[in-house]
Amino acid sequence: MSEISPCVSVVTPVYNGEHFISDNVRAILGALEELGRSFELIVVCDGSVDGTAACAEAVGDPRVRVLRYPVNQGKGHALLHGSAVAHGRLVAWLDSDLDIDPRFVVAAVTAFDHDPVDAVIGSKRHPASQVDYPWIRRFYSWGFQLLVRLLFRVKARDTQVGAKVFRRELIETVGPLLLVKRYAFDLEVLAVAAEFGFDRVQEAPIALSYRFSGSGINRDAVWRMFVDTLAIAYRIHIRHWYVRRFASLQRDRMDRRAQSDGAHTTAAEADHEQALLS
């Protein structure tokens, strides 16, 4: 990489994607080259049991890093795992199946140059978006976003699109606090971020190519999304869990720093005493 800190780190999670990941990695790289800035692409193999990791590594581009772990943990876990090692000043999340045109990242990164925003997120409801997906999913999406507006301070009409770009500070603050790893992960990120003042969210148009077969909805997934959403609201509004957790982590960091400073001081005093004796 040409710079120590690239402009943007793109994290893309994948599970058992050996049949498409090589082509899609190349497509993402091609889109990111339009930025004219440094970048890195982090492919996170979320417990894949096929040749996904090997196929991604076979692309052979030094700007690509491939991470893997043995057990599938869900998209949220994979995104946080990749974000934890990202070097970019901006951190982008992009679904590896490329339902969303990867050039979204280019437009989103450019938006940070012009507006004081904390996040730029893809939105199916943006008037310039090009979307084509089953009516039943539109219905569920509309109902879910209505629930979101009732429960949270999130300034977005669509929280669930798998294409987002964040300021690094947002990820570093919010990431360690998140609990949801699957269904309502995107919502939890934005809802908790708003609670910590990262509420400058800009929606951007997307080109959505719906690639799932059939138009059915997994009713268990819908139920889990509903339950997770209510749990997030409970932790924010009733228990104030995220704020308390943040304070606890801060105290832990301060304690570790104090212990480290004390250890260094003790070592310096010992060296001084040894010098006097000699």
Side-chain angles (χ1 to χ4, degrees):
M1 244 171 288
S2 59
E3 299 178 12
I4 295 176
S5 295
C7 171
V8 59
S9 298
V10 179
V11 182
T12 185
V14 58
Y15 175 67
N16 289 351
E18 66 177 3
H19 61 288
F20 66 79
I21 193 62
S22 296
D23 289 341
N24 288 8
V25 164
R26 293 188 182 96
I28 296 171
L29 292 173
L32 293 177
E33 285 171 353
E34 297 179 17
L35 269 173
R37 312 182 197 184
S38 60
F39 64 85
E40 64 177 349
L41 175 59
I42 302 172
V43 180
V44 184
C45 297
D46 182 24
S48 296
V49 295
D50 61 1
T52 298
C55 290
E57 290 168 344
V59 173
D61 192 301
R63 297 168 297 185
V64 177
R65 285 195 281 163
V66 180
L67 309 180
R68 71 194 85 186
Y69 42 83
V71 180
N72 179 259
Q73 301 287 323
K75 186 176 83 168
H77 177 89
L79 288 170
L80 292 178
H81 186 77
S83 299
V85 301
H87 297 137
R89 291 178 286 111
L90 300 174
V91 178
W93 294 346
L94 182 68
D95 286 352
S96 61
D97 58 14
L98 296 193
D99 274 4
I100 308 299
D101 190 317
R103 285 175 293 183
F104 162 84
V105 177
V106 177
V109 168
T110 303
F112 282 86
D113 296 336
H114 306 295
D115 300 303
V117 294
D118 298 308
V120 177
I121 66 173
S123 172
K124 297 185 295 293
R125 290 179 173 77
H126 192 285
S129 287
Q130 302 173 28
V131 299
D132 180 20
Y133 64 114
W135 68 267
I136 188 63
R137 286 187 176 269
R138 292 175 184 263
F139 175 77
Y140 276 106
S141 177
W142 177 84
F144 178 70
Q145 296 307 325
L146 177 61
L147 180 64
V148 168
R149 287 196 295 273
L150 290 172
L151 295 178
F152 305 104
R153 297 193 300 113
V154 175
K155 298 176 182 177
R157 294 168 296 172
D158 187 1
T159 61
Q160 298 309 110
V161 169
K164 297 177 173 65
V165 181
F166 302 98
R167 289 196 182 279
R168 184 183 186 87
E169 296 83 358
L170 185 156
I171 296 297
E172 290 177 340
T173 300
V174 172
L177 309 177
L178 303 179
L179 296 180
V180 177
K181 298 301 183 287
R182 294 185 185 271
Y183 299 102
F185 173 76
D186 295 86
L187 171 61
E188 187 180 30
V189 171
L190 296 172
V192 176
E195 293 300 309
F196 285 87
F198 297 103
D199 57 355
R200 299 174 301 177
V201 177
Q202 182 178 117
E203 291 184 287
I206 59 168
L208 172 64
S209 175
Y210 188 79
R211 300 184 184 184
F212 296 102
S213 60
S215 60
I217 291 289
N218 184 325
R219 297 183 186 278
D220 181 65
V222 172
W223 173 249
R224 288 304 313 167
M225 176 78 77
F226 178 71
V227 171
D228 286 349
T229 298
L230 294 184
I232 294 167
Y234 173 72
R235 288 192 293 269
I236 287 177
H237 301 303
I238 307 299
R239 292 196 60 197
H240 306 288
W241 186 90
Y242 298 103
V243 173
R244 289 170 24 202
R245 177 60 176 162
F246 178 79
S248 176
L249 291 175
Q250 291 296 97
R251 285 194 299 270
D252 290 344
R253 291 191 188 99
M254 292 177 64
D255 289 344
R256 288 195 298 270
R257 188 177 303 164
Q259 292 172 3
S260 177
D261 291 344
H264 291 156
T265 300
T266 301
E269 291 173 347
D271 290 343
H272 180 64
E273 290 178 3
Q274 182 64 33
L276 291 177
L277 291 174
S278 59

